[in-house]
Amino acid sequence: MTTDAIEDAVVSAAHAKGYALNSTIMATVAIDLAGSKLDGDLIAIPGKGSLSVQHYLRDLHDRAPSGFSRLQQPDKPDAERTVTEMRRKRPLDAAWHSRRANVSGITAQHMDEIARNRA
């Protein structure tokens, strides 16, 4: 198997855990696993033995957590959504529109932007 197959396995394992990997982490994966072979769910590293994709991913996360970001999951249930995500979905109420009618200047601009983002 090629390094691409190993990289695909690492990316798939990260996605299964809810993470996306940035390009710096992917470069690290390519360097760490150069010359390695994928054997099922084990990575055979020349001269060092084998380790599972999951163990490699955990080690990679421990070494460079900033290279991992949470995947966006728009179809997740409301209980798992953040307050910001839910706020964007909630319609603006009559009280909000009443306050908007009484403001001007930069406040009005910001409120107009909020209304556009929620439409």
Side-chain angles (χ1 to χ4, degrees), residues 17-30:
K17 297 266 186 204
Y19 290 107
L21 305 175
N22 69 20
S23 60
T24 304
I25 288 296
M26 290 310 298
T28 302
V29 170

Side-chain angles (χ1 to χ4, degrees), residues 100-119:
R100 169 57 191 95
N102 295 324
V103 298
S104 61
I106 192 122
T107 302
Q109 290 172 0
H110 286 289
M111 292 181 85
D112 290 344
E113 183 178 340
I114 289 169
R116 276 193 308 277
N117 290 337
R118 295 224 187 149

Side-chain angles (χ1 to χ4, degrees), residues 62-107:
D62 290 345
R63 287 186 285 151
S66 63
F68 289 70
S69 60
R70 283 281 175 199
L71 287 172
Q72 296 296 324
Q73 299 172 336
D75 58 340
K76 62 186 168 183
D78 284 346
E80 296 178 20
R81 288 192 177 134
T82 65
V83 172
T84 303
E85 288 173 330
M86 292 181 76
R87 190 175 291 134
R88 278 189 296 234
K89 306 278 184 207
R90 189 177 60 213
L92 299 169
D93 62 8
W96 188 92
H97 288 291
S98 173
R99 284 189 300 272
R100 169 57 191 95
N102 295 324
V103 298
S104 61
I106 192 122
T107 302

